[in-house]
Amino acid sequence: MKFNPILDTLQTYEAGKPIELVVRDFGLSADSIIKLASNENPLGASPKVIQALKENAHLAHLYPDDSYYALKESLSSHYGVLTQEIIIGAGSDQIIEFCIHAKAPSKVLMAKTTFAMYEIYSKSVGAKIIKTPSDSHNLQEFLEIYKLHNPEVIFLCVPNNPLGECLDKTEVFNFLEQISKDTLVILDGAYQEYAAAKDKNKEIKPKELIERFPNCIYLGTFSKAYGLGGMRVGYGIAKQEIISHLLKIRPPFNITTLSLCAAITALEDKEHIEKTLQNNFLQMQLYEDFANQNGIRFIPSFTNFITYFLDKTDSNALSEYLLQRGIIIRNLKSYGLNAVRITIGTPSQNQRLFNIFKEFLKASV
């Protein structure tokens, strides 16, 4: 059977190992396993979300309101944008797919090391992928390459996954001033809640972004700070001209009835978000201290994860050592890096990781 030959050039996206697989492979109990691989909220979903899901579980057999009116109204109020400037997706990943198919670019520009789905979706339509020489976002490199190749789509991941670095808003806006209004700039703000809490200079507000730069779309998600990774709800915010084109290829009922209920409730529970952010950055300091004490390089992170660069050992060996002991982290070998990405967990989860990590370092000497 023949398929699109472009698919032969694509690598399947490598997600973090699920707990169920580790249980099967190593004979561990599910309760003993700590997953710090996929940047989920270690505090879980808001208790108010759990209650709302219980109260609305009887609606699971019904399709949702396909206009997503209630969620769009909530996001409109939250960000100060029009409901017509919002599109809802099954995770922000789906909005990326909509953008690529709607624009059908021949060339796409992105950082050397960034979210893998940018490249996968772009290659699927036959686009040439152009990457910067630097792993992290260097906007001078972006600008030089842009002027040379004139790509139709640019991806900016602010903050960047999987490295954790984050551009200042001023840097981003200065860059965007030099980009043609015919170029679609996709600004991925999946971790913006964390960046904004840590440093206001990093905060990019969707309303200001799209008013100043009508060729931009802002992507947000409920999978990270809001703790709804399993519910798969993302959104895009852009001027109506962009949104109207994306809506033409959005499948009907692409979000579930209960996912909508969860997202609306999560957005209202500001107390849970505050607890999430507080835990994240208190524990992040412990990860930085651990790295400094053990001679491990890292990039200061503006997300809910930290990336360790392993100069004295191998990321495959570390990942496997932890996995056999019930701790799942993300090995970045698939990105061409001898590094690991670790989601910031709860205090007890993090302490257990530090203890086993120390054992590994001693055994590796």
Side-chain angles (χ1 to χ4, degrees), residues 166-185:
C166 189
L167 297 164
D168 282 353
K169 183 190 84 169
T170 302
E171 292 179 275
V172 173
F173 282 18
N174 287 342
F175 170 74
L176 294 175
E177 291 282 2
Q178 303 175 73
I179 302 303
S180 166
K181 295 300 182 281
D182 291 326
T183 301
L184 177 64
V185 179

Side-chain angles (χ1 to χ4, degrees), residues 71 88-92 221-223 228 231-235 255 259 263:
L71 179 54
I88 306 300
S92 55
T221 182
F222 286 91
S223 296
L228 300 182
M231 304 304 289
R232 307 304 297 128
V233 187
Y235 53 92
I255 299 298
S259 293

